[in-house]
Amino acid sequence: MAFSMGFLWEMRYYGSIGHWILGGSNDRLEQFLDGTIPLIPWVDSSTPNSQRNVQPIIRDVVRQGIAVREFLRDQQGNHGDELLTDAVSIIRSNAQSMSELESLFVDIRQNDARGAKTMYESIFYSLRERESSDGGQDYYALIRKMSNRTAVISPGVEWIALMASIACGNPGGEANLRELNAQLNQVGLHPPVHDLIHLLEIAGLANGSADADEGVRIQSAY
């Protein structure tokens, strides 16, 4: 997950840089950097799978990120070693450059820059459940593939056990749902509270009433 979320962060970062250059405001960039914008949208599990599908979202983020990265590299090659703020000023003052950058966001699916497919597959296949020869289930996956075109966030029981235990700080420790949620936010995940409680209950790690919401106590699995 660290491998895939790291690369996904990089792709989101370049996309945010592109929006910042076009919009002239750093609000979106700051929201991305402080974790307000999730890396992958975690939609309520009661929602139809078609609306929870993260596969096209990951693919579009990668296409956009690589396209903007290549654009910025080309601009740097054209203008030398200016600081970022100077380079942005040059791009914003050039109508052709701005038009080229804007086109990268108009039809994302046309952005098939070199490396986009490899990057997408590296991220997606590191997060999805693995197939085993004996038909066993992958309990460490974050994403479950529902069909050839649909994949949803559906963490395995060992995934939530591991993440909850890390939030507890040390072996045999305890935490609450608020602390676990804060740690998941730091890696770019913003799960619905009742989904998180349900996962903890399945793993046998939630102590106390679900009505306590973020006050629910969590016991380390290890």
Side-chain angles (χ1 to χ4, degrees):
M1 191 178 77
F3 170 87
S4 53
M5 297 300 269
F7 277 120
L8 191 58
W9 188 95
E10 180 186 2
M11 296 296 97
R12 283 276 191 193
Y13 172 73
Y14 280 110
S16 296
I17 288 285
H19 281 292
W20 169 54
I21 294 173
L22 288 173
S25 169
N26 63 357
D27 289 348
R28 181 186 178 89
L29 185 58
E30 289 179 351
Q31 287 176 344
F32 168 74
L33 293 174
D34 68 16
T36 304
I37 300 176
L39 293 180
I40 308 176
W42 188 326
V43 180
D44 191 312
S45 59
S46 63
T47 305
N49 288 342
S50 59
Q51 297 177 37
R52 299 172 60 203
N53 190 11
V54 298
Q55 199 165 343
I57 294 173
I58 295 174
R59 184 181 287 112
D60 287 350
V61 166
V62 170
R63 283 171 169 164
Q64 191 176 86
I66 286 190
V68 173
R69 185 180 69 182
E70 294 305 307
F71 167 82
L72 293 174
R73 284 179 174 173
D74 290 343
Q75 292 295 314
Q76 184 178 24
N78 292 334
H79 301 298
D81 298 325
E82 291 88 354
L83 296 173
L84 177 61
T85 51
D86 295 332
V88 169
S89 296
I90 293 173
I91 294 171
R92 285 175 175 165
S93 65
N94 187 311
Q96 182 176 345
S97 294
M98 289 292 282
S99 177
E100 181 182 345
L101 178 59
E102 187 173 10
S103 70
L104 301 181
F105 294 94
V106 173
D107 191 351
I108 299 173
R109 288 167 178 77
Q110 295 301 315
N111 298 333
D112 286 318
R114 184 177 60 183
K117 182 179 180 181
T118 301
M119 177 69 77
Y120 162 74
E121 291 178 347
S122 297
I123 292 171
F124 182 70
Y125 288 105
S126 295
L127 294 175
R128 63 163 290 190
E129 60 184 350
R130 310 295 203 277
E131 296 178 1
S132 60
S133 57
D134 60 1
Q137 188 173 351
D138 180 2
Y139 293 107
Y140 285 95
L142 175 64
I143 291 174
R144 176 176 297 177
K145 195 170 175 64
M146 310 303 289
S147 68
N148 287 336
R149 296 184 178 182
T150 305
V152 301
I153 291 184
S154 180
V157 65
E158 292 296 344
W159 183 92
I160 190 61
L162 177 60
M163 300 304 291
S165 298
I166 291 174
C168 289
N170 43 56
E174 286 192 352
N176 60 35
L177 193 67
R178 184 181 299 105
E179 293 166 327
L180 171 58
N181 208 15
Q183 290 215 354
L184 292 175
N185 289 172
Q186 288 179 356
V187 296
L189 296 172
H190 295 233
V193 171
H194 64 274
D195 273 12
L196 203 49
I197 292 175
H198 179 64
L199 289 169
L200 290 167
E201 289 175 340
I202 291 175
L205 301 176
N207 295 322
S209 170
D211 294 337
D213 290 337
E214 289 195 329
V216 169
R217 299 299 301 172
I218 301 168
Q219 179 71 45
S220 173
Y222 311 107

